[in-house]
Amino acid sequence: MSLPSNAPNLVTLAEGGEGALNHPSLEPILTGGGALLALLLLLWITMSFNRDR
């Protein structure tokens, strides 16, 4: 695999054309909200373990 043979595919991907990885179920607000919820859960677990110190 070399850059000249992959260049057309990379241009198509960069333009957001056919074959791009934008699936309709990947809503940014849901993805960000889920990540925030997971991080807050991990923070709560960490704080509960450190409470006895």
Side-chain angles (χ1 to χ4, degrees), residues 16-48:
E18 189 175 333
L21 299 175
N22 293 332
H23 195 272
S25 69
L26 294 176
E27 293 291 330
I29 193 73
L30 293 178
T31 305
L36 178 63
L37 184 65
L39 289 173
L40 288 174
L41 179 65
L42 288 173
L43 178 64
W44 179 75
I45 291 170
T46 303
M47 288 175 59
S48 67

Side-chain angles (χ1 to χ4, degrees), residues 2-15 18:
S2 63
L3 186 59
S5 65
N6 288 333
N9 294 335
L10 292 175
V11 169
T12 303
L13 183 63
E15 289 176 346
E18 189 175 333

